[in-house]
Amino acid sequence: MTAGINRLNLRYKHRLACCFLWGICFAIPCHLSAGEYFIVDPEGASLKVEAATVGSLVFGTKVVATDENGEWIWVTSDGKEGWVDRSKTVSAESAIDFITARINSGDPKDFKWYFLRGIVYASQLKYSAGIEDYTEALRLAPDVIKPRLYNDRGVLWAEKGEYQIAIADYSDAIRLNPSIAAIYMNRGTAWKYKGEYTKAISDYSESLRLDPGLSKALYRRGQAYTEFKQFEKAEADFSEIIRKAPTDRDALYERAYARMMLADSVSEGDRDRYLKMAVNDVTNSMYTGSPALWLKLRGRLWLKLREYDKAVADCTAAILDGEKLERDFQSLPENLRKEVTFWKNNIRTPLLYQMRADAFFELGRFEEAVTDLGTALQIDPKYIPAYRKRSMIYRLQGNSSLLLADYERILELSDKKETWIEDQISFIRNNEIPASIGVFLKHISGQGAEVMRIIPYSSADGDNRIEIGDVIVAIREPGKSDWVPLENLSIAKIVRQIGGPNNSSIQIKLRKSSGQTDVRTVVRRYLRNSKPVDSENDRMQYQIFKYEVLKQTS
């Protein structure tokens, strides 16, 4: 087994994986490697330890041989191990030739050899050849065997992405035998990948009714609930798996994701609690072999918890591990690459670099943020969130030419009306900078208090400086006693109060990144005439820094 495979440990089935060959009711072998054999005696084979028979292996079972003693080989299969008579097996490398010779020299109407060859073809990722053999086996087999054959052929159709055809095969299997739990599970998975979550959940639930101990069905139902945005039910399913198997990495990872999404729908007091529980789940499930996906999720959680240094550290570690995975991937045998493609494709994503850029932004490390956003756009030139974040930085830096280029790219790519950006472009090109700032403030205030930050508009120094990460949570006009929560203000009122006349003042209540609440009085200074304007960029810079902190107030 190669070092690359050892570090990937492909048995883990996280939410991004799409592998139907794992964990189905009827074992289709995984991919070939040295020491693998198939049981080819139609009567099966006994599994022995010393003189005692400790189990049996049915026709078509794949085993891994780790030792030999004359005519016996020591094998493992699905958690069982023992000695097997070598004459009842054939090596994986010779299996196709062996089975084809049996078909050509024996009874061509014997379905079981087509069935076995279909299994071997499936293990070699030769899905079309496998489907042909299963189809011939279905033509020849008695009805009692057909549920398995329909199921197995459905698995191969699903591997080819033909989910509707797979569903038809699973449905035929259920029609012939409606009591097999794992066929409902497999059909549910096909429904899930078609985005038919209600049907998927129904099939998973029926699978669990027939076999309450089928944890894979519970796991996949939890995934379906997550994708259907029913996060409480997803958390409950994964928690049930963890109750029975506290170290199940997959379930811990999935529960962490569900809890992260739940955090957005609970009260402010519960939000951080859910996020911290999610961090614990990811940390407890961290896979040491290739932890990039876990690090990526935890980095996202740190970002939500405003732990920006930790977010940068985890995102950076994920990027480095992803680069190592890319190098390992190139050395893998061709027939193994499909199994790890989901790792490679779901680590080095625009989102990972966007996340680190968001953390850099909050830490005031704008140039590093711009670099990461550029990398995100190299990976996906149509990734609009990166253009949005980078345009915000260009605005804060006063770089109007790059700002306009990003705005125009957003308009080109967006499938919705971006009126505020169109207005921005018009104002900036016509040097109507105050109007441009007003539109910008109106836009970000409409996104909620969490993004309504003052720091980009402050030129104050010293103890009264408003720092990156400070969030405006309330506004109070001078002479008034009541604080008005930001979320209770209309957009028009927010813009009017923050963008009042020259020299007007207003009090703002800030939530610091440390969690402490402070109050500041800010005054609006129209700086256009305070210093000669040498360029459009200068003019933008002066207008952006249009609030000064006068003093800290109680």
Side-chain angles (χ1 to χ4, degrees):
M1 195 69 76
T2 67
I5 294 300
N6 285 332
R7 66 184 292 277
L8 288 175
N9 199 350
L10 298 177
R11 72 184 182 87
Y12 291 109
K13 322 165 292 303
H14 52 78
R15 69 184 303 271
L16 297 170
C18 176
C19 183
F20 287 83
L21 291 182
W22 290 336
I24 66 168
C25 174
F26 307 113
I28 291 181
C30 295
H31 302 299
L32 305 179
S33 65
E36 293 186 350
Y37 291 77
F38 291 96
I39 303 298
V40 295
D41 189 321
E43 301 301 321
S46 297
L47 195 64
K48 295 180 177 292
V49 175
E50 296 181 347
T53 298
V54 295
S56 61
L57 301 171
V58 299
F59 178 70
T61 302
K62 188 198 72 173
V63 298
V64 178
T66 57
D67 199 359
E68 61 181 342
N69 184 4
E71 296 303 313
W72 295 85
I73 54 176
W74 183 267
V75 303
T76 59
S77 177
D78 196 24
K80 299 182 290 187
E81 59 182 0
W83 294 102
V84 167
D85 184 344
R86 189 194 298 267
S87 67
K88 296 181 179 291
T89 71
V90 66
S91 70
E93 293 83 356
S94 305
I96 293 295
D97 290 342
F98 173 86
I99 299 166
T100 301
R102 293 298 298 261
I103 291 173
N104 292 337
S105 64
D107 184 354
K109 295 184 179 180
D110 191 343
F111 79 92
K112 62 179 174 289
W113 298 109
Y114 292 100
F115 159 66
L116 179 58
R117 193 169 64 179
I119 290 176
V120 179
Y121 277 137
S123 73
Q124 297 175 341
L125 308 185
K126 296 177 180 178
Y127 302 129
S128 295
I131 287 169
E132 288 182 14
D133 274 350
Y134 281 128
T135 300
E136 183 63 13
L138 277 164
R139 188 179 70 82
L140 299 171
D143 286 347
V144 69
I145 302 297
K146 287 183 178 180
R148 170 170 188 169
L149 297 174
Y150 276 121
N151 177 83
D152 290 5
R153 191 176 68 175
V155 168
L156 300 194
W157 280 120
E159 277 296 316
K160 287 169 65 69
E162 298 284 356
Y163 300 121
Q164 194 60 52
I165 302 176
I167 287 167
D169 271 356
Y170 296 138
S171 297
D172 281 339
I174 290 169
R175 174 179 54 80
L176 293 171
N177 187 343
S179 64
I180 302 175
I183 300 179
Y184 286 97
M185 179 182 72
N186 287 343
R187 190 174 70 175
T189 301
W191 284 124
K192 180 164 73 75
Y193 283 104
K194 278 178 61 65
E196 299 274 2
Y197 298 119
T198 300
K199 293 178 180 178
I201 290 165
S202 176
D203 270 353
Y204 289 140
S205 297
E206 179 62 14
S207 176
L208 289 164
R209 186 189 70 81
L210 292 167
D211 182 358
L214 190 56
S215 61
K216 291 183 180 67
L218 189 60
Y219 176 84
R220 294 181 186 181
R221 189 177 70 178
Q223 288 183 311
Y225 279 135
T226 295
E227 294 175 30
F228 203 32
K229 302 187 185 307
Q230 296 185 0
F231 301 116
E232 289 185 9
K233 292 181 178 179
E235 183 194 27
D237 275 357
F238 296 127
S239 293
E240 177 61 17
I241 295 171
I242 294 164
R243 184 183 67 81
K244 297 176 181 177
T247 60
D248 189 309
R249 284 194 176 111
D250 297 335
L252 284 164
Y253 179 95
E254 295 283 0
R255 188 173 69 175
Y257 183 86
R259 284 175 166 174
M260 177 181 71
M261 302 308 292
L262 272 174
D264 292 334
S265 62
V266 299
S267 66
E268 184 67 24
D270 285 336
R271 178 182 181 275
D272 283 4
R273 181 174 64 86
Y274 268 92
L275 292 172
K276 289 174 182 177
M277 287 193 301
V279 167
N280 288 337
D281 277 350
V282 176
T283 302
N284 291 335
S285 66
M286 187 72 70
Y287 176 47
T288 56
S290 183
L293 284 170
W294 285 259
L295 290 165
K296 182 178 176 181
L297 178 56
R298 194 171 66 179
R300 189 173 175 184
L301 291 163
W302 288 132
L303 194 60
K304 287 177 173 288
L305 283 164
R306 300 178 290 279
E307 296 274 4
Y308 302 120
D309 286 318
K310 292 179 180 178
V312 167
D314 272 357
C315 289
T316 301
I319 288 168
L320 293 174
D321 188 65
E323 291 172 352
K324 186 175 189 304
L325 176 61
E326 179 75 23
R327 294 192 296 272
D328 288 351
F329 180 81
Q330 299 304 322
S331 65
L332 293 178
E334 185 65 30
N335 69 334
L336 290 172
R337 290 189 178 187
K338 183 176 185 294
E339 295 294 347
V340 298
T341 295
F342 68 86
W343 287 75
K344 188 169 72 72
N345 290 348
N346 288 288
I347 293 171
R348 192 173 184 271
T349 63
L351 176 60
L352 177 56
Y353 288 91
Q354 169 89 32
M355 285 162 43
R356 191 169 69 169
D358 287 343
F360 279 142
F361 176 85
E362 300 296 344
L363 292 168
R365 296 160 63 176
F366 294 155
E367 294 305 323
E368 291 164 287
V370 168
T371 298
D372 271 356
L373 294 168
T375 303
L377 291 170
Q378 287 176 1
I379 297 170
D380 182 359
K382 297 183 178 181
Y383 188 63
I384 293 179
Y387 289 110
R388 293 189 190 281
K389 176 63 74 173
R390 194 170 67 178
S391 68
M392 182 179 291
I393 295 172
Y394 288 153
R395 170 172 281 286
L396 304 183
Q397 293 175 329
N399 194 324
S400 60
S401 59
L402 294 179
L403 172 63
L404 285 171
D406 275 359
Y407 277 164
E408 288 169 351
R409 186 66 171 145
I410 292 170
L411 291 180
E412 178 185 339
L413 295 173
S414 180
D415 58 0
K416 62 181 180 180
K417 186 71 171 175
E418 300 276 3
T419 303
W420 81 275
I421 290 182
E422 293 173 351
D423 290 343
Q424 287 278 286
I425 291 173
S426 175
F427 289 139
I428 293 170
R429 283 178 173 165
N430 294 321
N431 291 330
E432 299 178 34
I433 305 304
S436 170
I437 296 296
V439 170
F440 180 68
L441 285 173
K442 180 177 179 179
H443 174 70
I444 64 172
S445 66
Q447 296 181 13
E450 193 62 30
V451 296
M452 194 59 185
R453 291 176 167 83
I454 279 289
I455 177 59
Y457 317 104
S458 173
S459 60
D461 296 317
D463 294 339
N464 293 326
R465 182 174 177 82
I466 301 172
E467 299 293 343
I468 290 175
D470 294 352
V471 178
I472 309 174
V473 295
I475 295 175
R476 181 168 65 185
E477 296 180 63
K480 294 188 177 180
S481 59
D482 294 333
W483 286 96
V484 182
L486 186 61
E487 58 268 24
N488 292 342
L489 292 174
S490 68
I491 291 176
K493 191 170 185 181
I494 292 170
V495 173
R496 185 169 65 251
Q497 289 181 310
I498 295 181
N502 192 35
N503 295 321
S504 63
S505 63
I506 193 171
Q507 287 183 312
I508 58 172
K509 185 178 292 184
L510 303 173
R511 184 178 70 242
K512 309 290 286 182
S513 58
S514 63
Q516 177 186 357
T517 299
D518 281 342
V519 174
R520 300 284 190 273
T521 297
V522 296
V523 64
R524 183 178 190 271
R525 301 294 192 193
Y526 185 53
L527 302 179
R528 184 171 185 176
N529 298 321
S530 65
K531 182 178 178 181
V533 175
D534 298 324
S535 69
E536 181 182 341
N537 281 349
D538 283 341
R539 187 179 299 113
M540 288 187 66
Q541 185 79 6
Y542 296 152
Q543 294 305 316
I544 287 170
F545 293 111
K546 65 178 181 178
Y547 292 111
E548 293 182 22
V549 179
L550 295 182
K551 60 183 178 179
Q552 184 165 346
T553 57
S554 58

